[in-house]
Structure formats: structure tokens, C-alpha cells
Amino acid sequence: MRRGGLTAVLFALPALIVFGYFSWGPIVRGLIMSWQKVNFAADPSWVGWSNFAYVLSDPLLPQAVGNTLLFVALGLVIGFPVPLFLAVFMAELRKSKRLFNLLAYLPVVIPPVVAILLWKTFYDPGGTGLFNQILGFFGLGPLGWLNSTVLALPSMVIEATWAGAGATVIIYIAALTGVRSELYEVADLDGASIWSKIWNVTLPQIRGVIIIMVLLQIIGTMQVFAEPFLFTGGGPSNSTMTILLMIYNYAFVSQDFGAASALSTLLALALGVLSVAYFAATKRWSTE
């Protein structure tokens, strides 16, 4: 107070009010709606746990959860190493580094809906699809990418990796600039190979960033919506139905906003518990 703290609070108060209203306001409203029957055609009525019981008893929920977790797992196996590899590769470049940075970030600039619709033509199950044409050169295919219950979800993971890797690459490149050059010089004196330097020098030095990016990817992929909605609408045979797509169907297909809010609350709670457990499990490794 003596150092002018009250003045700083007064200057920040308008921004805090706007942020609270537009950010936390919908969150609080969503929590309230999860306990109500809401369809916006009549006044909301209090139903208590009924929305949660209805959502948890939905026979489609286990499959949606399983599909979402599979998307997360495939994203970690396929999508997570790609931006890290690209960042390490581009950090070693001496020429054309700006060009590679531009090419890596370009997919992020493309609007997600446009990118998905473009990839949908690539995945055309007929012989005219780009990927099937490529397979045709090797005497393979054609494959029914998005029409297959086995291939549909991995196909979406590949597109999501392409679309989101650019932003992650930029973050990793920024982290790599903080790695001390003398560590690489010592490794060179010891005769370390490039793979040995990456494993023993580069990765340990940016492990704090890697830990955060793993968590952010898990949270992001748990909330996947655009890809299954625009690619398949949850098909074929609900093989790409995800939790967020179920929330959308509750709200805008069934007009049951209470159930949609209840499932949203459960998802937020699960992600919150996961985040706390993840930070507790990685705290020691990240600070060593």
C-alpha cells in the first residue's frame, strides 16, 4: 500500500473484471447448468445429479472415452516426436534456417477448417485421392482411409500432427537457444556422436519444456473435436466418436445443454486431476 500498490490494483481492476466476466463467467455458468435441465426453450429447472447419471449411463460414453484415449496415445507416439526432431534438425542448420522455420510454421497459418477439408480430399477412398495415388505407384491400395474403422482415427492423428507441429517447433527452437554451447564443445572433445549429443546434452537441457509440452499435448488431444466432426462426424460405426463430439451432440443435436455441461464438467475435472498427478510425478525429474 505504501509503495503505490493500491494504484496498481485500481489500474488493473477493469482488465480483471473483463477477464473474469468473459473467462470465468462461462465456466461458473457451465457448472450451474450441469445441475439443471436447460434447453433454452423454457426456464431452467434444478435436477441435481440427474445429468451426471444420464451421461455416465450413456452406452456410447465408454467408446467415446476409448477413442479419445487412443487419439491421445497415437498423438504421443506419432505426433510428439515429430516437432522435437524438426526443431533439433533446424537448430543445426547453418543455411536456409528461416526458410525451414517458415515451412514448418506454415500449416499453423492455414485455418483449421480449410486444412481439414483439404486433407479430406487427400484421404478420398477412390483412386483419385492423393494418398491412394501415391500408394498406386507402389502397387498398393486403394485404402478407405476415413471409411475404415481401423484407419480413420490414425488418419486424423496424422493430419492433426501436420497442423499443430509448427507452433511446437517454434517453442522447441526457442528452448534450444538456451542450451549452453560449451556443453556441446565438451561432448565434441569426448568424441560424442550427434545422436549421443542429442540424447545426453540437448534433451536433458530442455526437459522442463518437454514436460510442459507433453502435458499440453495430452490436454489438447483429450479435447479433440474439429477433426472427427469435419472428417467423419464420429463414424464409421462411432469409431471416431470423441468426448467433445458427444458434448456437441448433447448440446446442438439433442438440445440437452444440461447433459453437455455435465460431461464438460467431468472432462474438466479429469484433466485437472491428471494435471496435478502429472506434475507430482515429474516434479523430481524436471528439477534435477
Side-chain angles (χ1 to χ4, degrees), residues 29 31-38 44-48 51 256-259:
R29 177 59 178 148
L31 290 173
I32 295 173
M33 288 173 59
S34 66
W35 300 84
Q36 297 176 326
K37 181 175 180 59
V38 183
S45 58
W46 195 264
V47 294
N51 288 328
D256 192 346
F257 294 92

Side-chain angles (χ1 to χ4, degrees), residues 87-98:
V88 173
F89 169 75
M90 289 188 286
E92 296 295 324
L93 293 176
R94 295 295 178 265
K95 297 180 180 180
S96 304
K97 181 178 292 188
R98 291 185 177 180

Side-chain angles (χ1 to χ4, degrees), residues 27 37 46 60 76 80 94 121 152-153 158 178 182 186 202 217 229 233 257 266:
I27 295 175
K37 181 175 180 59
W46 195 264
L60 189 57
L76 289 174
F80 185 77
R94 295 295 178 265
T121 63
L153 206 62
I158 294 173
E182 55 265 26
V186 172
T202 303
Q217 176 158 338
F229 178 70
F257 294 92
L266 291 174

Side-chain angles (χ1 to χ4, degrees), residues 113-172:
V113 174
V114 175
I116 292 173
L117 294 178
L118 178 64
W119 275 71
K120 196 171 184 178
T121 63
F122 295 165
Y123 283 134
D124 190 292
T128 58
L130 176 62
F131 295 140
N132 279 336
Q133 288 186 22
I134 294 174
L135 291 176
F137 284 119
F138 300 97
L140 303 174
L143 299 178
W145 301 94
L146 300 176
N147 294 336
S148 169
T149 57
V150 176
L151 296 177
L153 206 62
S155 300
M156 294 180 189
V157 172
I158 294 173
E159 186 279 333
T161 300
W162 171 86
T168 309
V169 166
I170 299 300
I171 295 174
Y172 281 136

